[in-house]
Every structure is written in C-alpha cells, then in structure tokens.
Amino acid sequence: MAFDSGGDKGSAEELSEGLQVYGAVLQALRQGAGLTQESFAPKVRYSVHYISKIEQGRRFPPRDLPERVEPILGSAAAGALKAAAKKLNRKAGLASWFQRWADIEEEALTLYAYECRLVPGLLQPESYMRVVHDNYLPPLTDEQLEVRLAARLERQRLLTERGNTAFGFIIEQHVIERGLGGSDVTRCLIDHLLSCAELRNVELLIMPTRRLGHAGLDGPLYLAETPGREWIGYAESHDTSFLFSERNQVGTLLQRYGRMRGQALDSESSMSLLKHMRGAP
C-alpha cells in the first residue's frame, strides 16, 4: 500500500510552536528562581548545552524533567512544565509519509532494518543527522532543520525505553565508508554504532562490500512484529513510502532479511570491522 508524500509544513510548525512554548516556560521558571543556565543544569542533572537547546525550543524535553525540576523550583513549576508538555506532538517533525510507520515502531515487539543508502535514523548520531539533512533538496530552513533533528532524536528513545523490543540492523559497509560529512563525522558515527550495538536488545550486522550472494538487491527494507504477532513490511523511496501487510509479501521480505543475516558478517566480526574502519589497532 502506497502513501503519498504530502507536506509536513503544518506538523513542523506545530512542533516548533509547542517546543518554543515549553522552552519559554522553563526559562521563565528558571529565571524566576534566580538561576542561570550554568547553575540550574547541574541541579537537574543535565548539561548546560542541553538545557539551552530546550529553552530555545530546539530539543524535546526529557520526560522526567518535571520530576527533576520539582525539588529545585517547586511543585507549581513542575505542574506548569507538565501542562506545557501536553502541547507537544511527538510525531510532528516527521515526514507525513513516514508517520504511519513511526506509529508501528512505537508498539513493535521486533524491528528489523536493512539499509544500503544511509545509516538508519534510529542509529544516527546528531552530527551525522545534520549532514544528512544538509543534503536534503529542496534545502531546509534552519528552523525546519532543528525541528526534524528534534523529532529524530526523540524517536531514538525507542532503543533504550523499549528494552523488550528486539532491534536488528543490517547496514552495508559502503554506507559507512562513504565518509559522509568527513572523517570527524564518520568517526563519531562509528563510535555511536559501537555504543548502540552494546545494548542487549540490539543486533547490528555489517554487510561486506564484496559478497558473492546478496538477498537484498531490491533495496532497503524494514519489518515490524506487532503486539498481535503479525508482521508488517515497510519500504520508502523519494518522498514516498509503502506499507506491506499482505502475508505473502511480508513473508518474502522476512525470507530476504533472514537470508541477509546469514550473508552479513556476524556480530563479532561486524564490531571488529567497525573498529578497524575507525582506525583501532
């Protein structure tokens, strides 16, 4: 089933306004207590940079921020932040054609991804995200860029918050070797991939560039197991996405992903290759 790309300008504006309101509320409460960002951030156990971005409306606030704020600013301040958080639409900032899949991701028991174009969004560090979006055409405004980054960073919480969800990723070696953004960005990317691979619920495999057989020649694919133990497939192209729910279609995608798991390097070899690509002895 195909979904038209549509426009996500309205959702981006909605998200931006909600984040700006939340940031303004936090800033007013902090300043009302006579605290600078430098003195406030350690008290709530976040970095000054992170608090600054929240107050600027450029980051989703963490869910536990009201609880951390309460001992410092009081229960009324915590209540104000909770009320401001209700104005946030966490799906805004995602392309309209992607939002159906994002809903499925939220509830999935198992998520698989094979990518040959770029590193999957769930595994992208911020520096890599920025380069990806800098290459987007037509070009994004600064505000659109920050909104999309905020939405993608928020989406990544699935890896840690859904500890019972099994995540599997197969990434082509050439995607990392491309060096998108330069050596510093690539080094940060590899470090981030290695860190994500340490999570118990994450399997990260690298498909080597040279391989005699390959079951993924038809392109990227994503698979999700729903709470009802049904599988749904997903694929995307230029500003368009496709959901697959018909059993035979999804069965074919599962067969291809399973074959690719055998064709990719195993977990230990994948980590060794990443460390070698980073420059480790």
Side-chain angles (χ1 to χ4, degrees):
M1 182 177 182
F3 292 88
D4 294 334
S5 61
D8 57 0
K9 180 177 179 182
S11 63
E13 290 175 348
E14 178 186 351
L15 174 63
S16 177
E17 181 180 357
L19 288 175
Q20 289 171 3
V21 168
Y22 190 101
V25 170
L26 177 61
Q27 182 180 41
L29 293 170
R30 172 183 60 76
Q31 292 176 339
L35 297 172
T36 64
Q37 289 181 345
E38 289 73 16
S39 60
F40 175 71
K43 295 179 184 295
V44 292
R45 304 187 302 285
Y46 286 113
S47 70
V48 175
H49 176 76
Y50 191 33
I51 293 299
S52 175
K53 289 293 186 181
I54 294 174
E55 292 188 356
Q56 293 170 19
R58 294 189 171 187
R59 286 292 181 275
F60 272 98
R63 293 182 174 184
D64 64 347
L65 185 56
E67 286 71 26
R68 297 194 187 197
V69 161
E70 186 167 3
I72 313 302
L73 303 181
S75 58
L81 289 177
K82 290 178 181 178
K86 294 179 180 179
K87 299 295 184 180
L88 299 179
N89 178 358
R90 293 177 181 269
K91 291 295 185 298
L94 301 176
S96 57
W97 46 266
F98 182 77
Q99 291 195 22
R100 288 290 300 274
W101 181 251
D103 288 335
I104 293 169
E105 279 186 334
E106 288 276 353
E107 302 296 329
L109 302 178
T110 307
L111 277 168
Y112 292 146
Y114 161 67
E115 267 294 355
C116 57
R117 307 163 303 171
L118 74 172
V119 172
L122 288 175
L123 298 179
Q124 294 178 6
E126 184 174 343
S127 59
Y128 184 86
M129 286 183 207
R130 288 187 177 276
V131 176
V132 169
H133 285 87
D134 282 344
N135 281 274
Y136 184 84
L137 291 175
L140 301 172
T141 65
D142 290 344
E143 182 178 9
Q144 288 173 325
L145 172 63
E146 295 298 335
V147 165
R148 293 193 181 197
L149 291 177
R152 184 161 295 183
L153 288 166
E154 165 65 12
R155 183 171 149 248
Q156 289 183 348
R157 66 183 172 78
L158 293 175
L159 291 178
T160 53
E161 289 190 5
R162 294 192 62 83
N164 290 324
T165 296
F167 295 88
F169 300 94
I170 302 174
I171 306 173
E172 291 285 346
Q173 178 180 345
H174 71 78
V175 168
I176 303 166
E177 289 180 332
R178 179 177 292 129
L180 193 67
S183 58
D184 289 343
V185 172
T186 300
R187 189 175 300 110
C188 176
L189 170 63
I190 294 174
D191 285 342
H192 188 70
L193 292 175
L194 290 168
S195 177
C196 290
E198 292 178 355
L199 298 171
R200 288 193 301 273
N201 60 330
V202 173
E203 177 186 67
L204 174 57
L205 306 178
I206 303 298
M207 180 69 76
T209 300
R210 299 184 64 85
R211 184 59 91 205
L212 295 179
H214 197 315
L217 298 180
D218 281 351
L221 67 88
Y222 291 73
L223 289 155
E225 183 186 16
T226 71
R229 300 293 181 177
E230 296 179 342
W231 284 89
I232 297 175
Y234 172 80
E236 61 185 38
S237 183
H238 292 266
D239 295 337
T240 304
S241 66
F242 303 86
L243 283 178
F244 302 94
S245 58
E246 199 277 322
R247 183 173 297 180
N248 289 337
Q249 289 179 317
V250 177
T252 297
L253 296 180
L254 282 166
Q255 185 179 39
R256 291 173 182 173
Y257 188 86
R259 178 65 61 86
M260 282 190 287
R261 285 184 71 183
Q263 295 169 332
L265 299 176
D266 63 28
S267 181
E268 182 177 352
S269 298
S270 294
M271 297 307 101
S272 295
L273 176 59
L274 286 174
K275 292 174 183 177
H276 176 75
M277 293 167 67
R278 190 193 184 284

